[in-house]
Amino acid sequence: MKHFRRGLDKVKKMILSLGALVEQRVHRIRTAVEERDVTLAKEIWHLDHEIDEMEVEIEEECLKIIALHQPVASDLRFLIAVIKINNELERIGDQVVNIAQRVERIAKRPVAPYHFDYSVMAEKAETMLRMSLDSLVNQDLDMALKVLTLDDEVDAIKDEAYDRIKQAMADGVTEDIGYMINLLLISRHIERLADHATNIAEEVVYMIEGEIVRHGMVE
């Protein structure tokens, strides 16, 4: 039993370390987007392997504990949730890389009249990630449920960006199609980042309550 508890503590520390690293990367990519900072974007992009390596280590540790100790009830829920949260964090890392690649492309061009300001959207997505991780650390059900309600706000901003760029196309601005597509993709990647933060919050609800709340199944 002592080895089992020690293993659970190790997994908890590992997932929190990964969460902190991913949160830091999200904050930095937000800065890169707002400042069109290519150097920062490239640095974030080239460090993605760190997240990938930690994700593999955490999954292996969880599977080892399950195989050796065959946990049940809340301990099994914890390990299942960690495996899923681990995957969501790695996918957030992928979205950060996607955004970094788009920043590199748009920064080569002057700011266009139809350029969309992503600062509010990125701030909301970052807040959702921070809240989902805080709910994990503190086992805070109310905070996890709050994250689920914030996702619609990010979706609405993404739709606004889409409408603005679509209008630019309708107005005959055709020479910058590639630039506009990259602007559109940034909004899509930030929206997906927020989706992954929502998924983390859903897993925290499962961890605490044993209730699956995916697909909008929240009472």
Side-chain angles (χ1 to χ4, degrees), residues 147-158:
V147 173
L148 308 189
T149 68
L150 294 175
D151 192 44
D152 289 343
E153 296 179 16
V154 175
D155 290 344
I157 299 173
K158 183 205 73 173

Side-chain angles (χ1 to χ4, degrees), residues 128-212:
M128 289 173 65
L129 175 59
R130 183 172 62 252
M131 288 175 64
S132 68
L133 293 173
D134 285 348
S135 71
L136 171 63
V137 172
N138 301 313
Q139 294 290 285
D140 189 330
L141 179 62
D142 290 339
M143 185 176 291
L145 292 173
K146 175 66 175 174
V147 173
L148 308 189
T149 68
L150 294 175
D151 192 44
D152 289 343
E153 296 179 16
V154 175
D155 290 344
I157 299 173
K158 183 205 73 173
D159 291 341
E160 183 184 345
Y162 172 77
D163 290 341
R164 182 164 181 176
I165 294 166
K166 184 173 69 172
Q167 186 59 51
M169 292 180 179
D171 291 342
V173 184
T174 57
E175 69 274 13
D176 290 331
I177 292 294
Y179 180 79
M180 287 189 278
I181 288 173
N182 280 307
L183 291 179
L184 188 61
L185 286 171
I186 288 176
S187 69
R188 177 57 176 159
H189 295 319
I190 295 174
E191 186 257 344
R192 288 299 298 142
L193 193 158
D195 285 344
H196 292 308
T198 300
N199 293 344
I200 292 172
E202 289 173 348
E203 293 307 326
V204 173
V205 174
Y206 169 73
M207 185 185 299
I208 297 171
E209 295 282 282
E211 179 182 0
I212 297 173

Side-chain angles (χ1 to χ4, degrees), residues 23 118 125 127 164 183:
E23 188 176 355
Y118 294 104
T127 297
R164 182 164 181 176
L183 291 179

Side-chain angles (χ1 to χ4, degrees), residues 25 37 47 87 102 108 118 123 132 142 218:
R25 295 285 165 79
D37 188 330
L47 290 174
N87 180 251
R102 300 303 160 191
K108 297 174 182 176
Y118 294 104
E123 181 181 5
S132 68
D142 290 339
V218 184

